[in-house]
Amino acid sequence: MPEWDTYKAAAKARGSLALELYAVQSTPAKAPEDLAVTLPDHLAYQAKLEAEGQLAFAGPMSDETGTQMQGIGLIIYRAASFEEARALADADPMHSTGTRSYVLRKWMINEGSLTLNVGLSGQTVKLG
């Protein structure tokens, strides 16, 4: 299997974006009442990272059927390195208190699209 940098160079040579982000799959490690206590600090931390440009996306995930929430969360960080992304994840109050555990992976974005609609007169923004 090729090393990450070799794979990234090949993706760029093909014309892919090869944007490196960092994906955290966060899972409950304590009781739901512990999650509820830590949630305000966790949300404040995420808002801070979003304002600083380090949080790309975050939110809960469903089970495999798409009908039930299981408490699993997905967080996507913008970071300069794997170590920096780990530091961001470690500093999340959910993780630093042991309320949740996580797995961190580097994620290379090659393809896809994002739609942004900005309504000037109505001063609205829609992401689709």
Side-chain angles (χ1 to χ4, degrees):
M1 184 162 309
E3 288 186 16
W4 185 266
D5 291 338
T6 302
Y7 184 83
K8 181 178 178 180
K12 282 189 171 192
R14 290 191 308 270
S16 294
L17 179 61
L19 172 65
E20 291 178 356
L21 297 177
Y22 297 87
V24 170
Q25 183 175 332
S26 181
T27 55
K30 291 186 177 178
E33 50 273 9
D34 294 315
L35 293 168
V37 168
T38 310
L39 185 60
D41 291 338
H42 163 73
L43 295 176
Y45 178 71
Q46 287 191 317
K48 174 183 168 284
L49 293 183
E50 181 180 3
E52 294 171 352
Q54 295 177 296
L55 179 67
F57 305 102
M61 295 173 56
S62 75
D63 67 357
E64 294 85 0
T65 69
T67 61
Q68 300 290 318
M69 296 308 293
Q70 291 188 314
I72 297 171
L74 182 63
I75 305 166
I76 307 296
Y77 294 125
R78 292 181 192 94
S81 67
F82 195 84
E83 293 75 20
E84 183 180 309
R86 181 164 308 282
L88 293 173
D90 285 345
D92 185 319
M94 285 290 187
H95 303 140
S96 65
T97 62
T99 304
R100 298 179 73 89
S101 61
Y102 72 88
V103 174
L104 172 66
R105 297 180 190 272
K106 192 182 289 191
W107 182 30
M108 186 183 306
I109 309 296
N110 285 333
E111 299 87 18
S113 66
L114 185 65
T115 302
L116 180 65
N117 182 319
V118 179
L120 300 178
S121 62
Q123 297 182 357
T124 60
V125 177
K126 291 184 185 178
L127 182 63

